[in-house]
């Protein structure tokens, strides 16, 4: 027993010693990290005047080579991190000035070379950096990474193309929705939205090109932008019965967001004769957004559809159109049929919305 107790005591002392060593190691690591963060913060503060001087340069110095500045050329790598952190917050000439700094210091060139690195993390980091630097001259190289064997690199390349702002990126981004390594729809959609309104002409062209997923996403983004010039192309998609249902749904939704009354006839036709309830629902929702009173009779008929989703969408659309639509709903709400219940639910929703919008008066 004495031997067992002695062994237990020794093990306890060893274990306590290990715990103390571990705690000391954690404390030392924390102290080193704190010192490093303080040092980086101090260096960043020292470099900020240099960055401010770059941003204060007049616009006519755009052709000057930043690399000719000895202070800038000898600045530590931390300056590159500081510039990259600031870039997303800047626009116009300020952003261009810092982009020239990154190019002059070789940051952009090294990132472009890393796009073909063996390690996936280096390829992804390079794509992200090129996007932040808005290096549009590297659009083809970034577009090639959309087919990278790594899913993370493909997504990084898509996001980088969106941030870089080159309208020529629309075609490869939409093409990346199909193929053996397709990109997620949300990633491509956000990249297209980041590109802004300069890509609207390319998106209109894409309505007739590419895969069904590409046509549907192009329609969706055009609708988000509310592009009136896209209405004819969207109407053509909606009218084409050979288009896949997801493409026609996206076209109907986009026309509703654009709010074009010229789409009323096509949308009412789709609501009345739609092959599937999903198409009828989006047609009713689009008609509600457009608000054309000419759609009221078809929407009233839609209240008697067999699909409850179609009935609810038609009732909501009638409520959105205005007094004429709500008047029809009040008449139908008297009954207890499925149409009456849908009408009553839509009217209740309107009343609730009005109550929430009512200003609160203090007593």
């Amino acid at each position: 027993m004495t031997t067992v107790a002695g062994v237990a005591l020794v093990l306890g002392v060893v274990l306590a010693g290990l715990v103390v060593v571990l705690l000391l190691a954690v404390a030392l690591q924390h102290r080193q990290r704190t010192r490093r963060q303080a040092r980086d913060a101090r260096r960043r503060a020292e470099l900020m005047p240099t960055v401010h001087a770059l941003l204060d340069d007049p616009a006519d110095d755009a052709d000057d080579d930043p690399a000719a500045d000895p202070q800038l050329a000898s600045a530590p790598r931390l300056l590159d991190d500081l510039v990259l952190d600031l870039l997303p917050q800047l626009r116009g000439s300020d952003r261009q000035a810092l982009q020239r700094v990154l190019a002059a210091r070789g940051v952009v060139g090294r990132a472009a070379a890393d796009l073909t690195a063996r390690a996936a993390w280096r390829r992804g980091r390079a794509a992200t950096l090129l996007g932040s630097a808005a290096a549009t001259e590297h659009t083809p190289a970034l577009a090639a990474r959309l087919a990278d064997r790594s899913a993370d690199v493909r997504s990084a390349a898509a996001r980088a193309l969106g941030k870089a702002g080159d309208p020529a990126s629309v075609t490869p981004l939409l093409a990346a929705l199909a193929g053996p390594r397709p990109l997620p729809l949300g990633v491509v959609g956000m990249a297209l939205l980041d590109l802004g309104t300069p890509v609207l002409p390319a998106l209109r062209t894409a309505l007739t090109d590419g895969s069904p997923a590409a046509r549907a996403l192009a329609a969706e983004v055009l609708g988000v932008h509310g592009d009136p010039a896209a209405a004819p192309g969207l109407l053509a998609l909606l009218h084409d019965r050979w288009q896949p249902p997801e493409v026609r749904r996206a076209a109907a939704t986009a026309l509703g967001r654009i709010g074009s009354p010229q789409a009323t006839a096509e949308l009412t036709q789709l609501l009345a004769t739609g092959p599937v309830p999903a198409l009828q629902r989006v047609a009713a929702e689009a008609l509600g957004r457009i608000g054309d009173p000419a759609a009221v009779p078809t929407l009233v008929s839609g209240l008697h559809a067999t699909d409850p989703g179609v009935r609810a969408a038609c009732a909501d659309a009638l409520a959105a159109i205005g007094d004429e639509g709500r008047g029809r709903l009040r008449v139908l709400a008297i009954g207890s049929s499925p149409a009456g219940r849908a009408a009553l639910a839509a009217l209740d929703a309107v009343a609730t919305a009005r109550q929430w919008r009512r200003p609160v008066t203090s007593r």
Side-chain angles (χ1 to χ4, degrees), residues 3 6 16 65 69 75 81 95 101 105 107 116 127 140 160 186 218 224 230 236 248 264 268 270 272 278 282 304 348:
T3 303
D65 183 6
D69 185 345
D81 296 335
R95 184 180 177 90
V101 170
R105 286 173 56 82
V107 176
T116 56
V224 170
R248 299 182 76 191
T264 299
T268 53
L270 181 61
V282 295
H304 301 281
D348 287 344

Side-chain angles (χ1 to χ4, degrees), residues 106-121:
V107 176
V108 174
R110 289 193 296 271
D114 277 349
L115 281 177
T116 56
R118 178 173 297 182
W121 69 267

Side-chain angles (χ1 to χ4, degrees), residues 126-137:
T128 300
L129 192 150
L130 289 173
S132 298
T136 55
E137 66 271 20

